[in-house]
Every structure is written in C-alpha cells, then in structure tokens.
Amino acid sequence: IAPQERLPQFASRTWLRERLMRAGLQHTFTGDPVWTSAFRVHRRVARRMRMGNVFLAGDSAHAHSPVGGQGMNTGLFDAWTLAGLMSVVLDGDESETALETYEMQRLPIARSVVRRTDLLMQALAHPNPLMRVGRELLAPYVVRIPVLRDRMVRRLLTA
C-alpha cells in the first residue's frame, strides 16, 4: 500500500482484490482471509554498539527490511566478531582494549546493510510508474546477463 494510505483493521477479500488489481495481478485468486496482520518495515541503526561492558549485536543494534535476507547474517557476524574478541581478551592473549575494535568493525557494516536493504525495498515497492517499468520490464532482462547478475547479487546481498 502507499505510505500515506491507512491500513484497515481487517484486510477483507475486497480490499485484497483491489490491491492485486492495482498491481496488475487481477487474475490472482483471493479467498476470504482467515487472519491478517500489518507488516511494517523498520529502519534503525544504533549510534553505538558498545558502552562500557554493554555490547549490542544483531537486532538490538540494527533493524531493517528483510529484503535481501541479510538480517540474520549480519547479526550472526556481529556475534561471531564479538565472541572472537572476548575470547582473546579472556584468554589473556589481548588486552581489554581489543574490545574497542568491535564497534569500529561492525557499525559501518550495519549501516551499509541498512542502506542496501532500503535501496532494495524502494526498488521493489516504489509506486513511481517509471520504477515499476524498470522493475517489471527491464530487470528480467538485466538479470539474464551473467556478469551483471553476479555483480548485482554480490553487491546487494552480501554484508
């Protein structure tokens, strides 16, 4: 739905059919919904990932659209990085100052992932007719060119 459009309390069959028709999917079957829920995309990145002995990782440090499937990967890499740093500090191989590198390593990546998921979300859902033409008519041909497809996938879907 459009950003300014209000969601109904319950998405009726009529409401769903109307949106499918607007999207050019008028031949899609719509039964009566048994249960509906509104999904909202949140975009957040913590200003800091460490304050004293408190560390943020995963969804507590960054939240974004699930487009591209990077949320879990980014959170796991946060945890992996933090665990590795804590391990070398606890083993006595590094001083506690090594923990200061966690935020320097992970915060730029979190910001980058949020930027990319925003771009993907806009590309997939923007209501602008030119964006729709590019998405529906041009993109299917572009992704058939291996060099372009591989470059796009690598750029858009990796943390």
Side-chain angles (χ1 to χ4, degrees):
I1 73 169
Q4 68 278 5
E5 188 177 349
R6 294 185 57 89
L7 285 171
Q9 193 167 10
F10 178 77
S12 68
R13 179 182 187 168
T14 305
W15 188 87
L16 290 169
R17 295 254 337 127
E18 186 179 305
R19 264 115 206 107
L20 288 169
M21 287 178 68
R22 262 197 241 161
L25 301 168
Q26 59 273 8
H27 302 294
T28 303
F29 172 76
T30 307
D32 289 318
V34 175
W35 177 82
T36 64
S37 175
F39 172 77
R40 300 206 187 280
V41 175
H42 296 276
R43 179 194 195 280
R44 295 187 185 100
V45 179
R47 283 188 212 120
R48 307 273 327 264
M49 292 178 79
R50 178 190 186 188
M51 185 158 289
N53 290 332
V54 176
F55 293 85
L56 299 179
D59 290 350
S60 66
H62 38 79
H64 50 82
S65 164
V67 172
Q70 289 302 297
M72 188 171 71
N73 292 347
T74 307
L76 289 171
F77 272 105
D78 291 347
W80 177 269
T81 302
L82 184 56
L85 290 168
M86 287 182 166
S87 176
V88 295
V89 169
L90 292 171
D91 286 346
D93 298 333
E94 293 283 342
S95 72
E96 196 172 316
T97 58
L99 295 173
E100 293 171 12
T101 66
Y102 170 67
E103 183 176 280
M104 291 185 291
Q105 291 177 52
R106 298 305 303 163
L107 196 52
I109 292 169
R111 289 179 180 141
S112 175
V113 168
V114 170
R115 265 193 311 277
R116 279 197 311 272
T117 57
D118 278 355
L119 284 172
L120 279 168
M121 189 68 190
Q122 287 176 21
L124 294 171
H126 201 284
N128 181 300
L130 289 176
M131 292 288 286
R132 185 175 177 187
V133 166
R135 188 172 54 235
E136 296 175 8
L137 300 178
L138 186 58
Y141 294 102
V142 170
V143 297
R144 289 185 190 145
I145 303 169
V147 118
L148 293 176
R149 179 190 58 237
D150 295 348
R151 189 171 185 198
M152 280 190 314
V153 168
R154 225 179 358 266
R155 176 75 180 114
L156 294 172
L157 302 181
T158 56

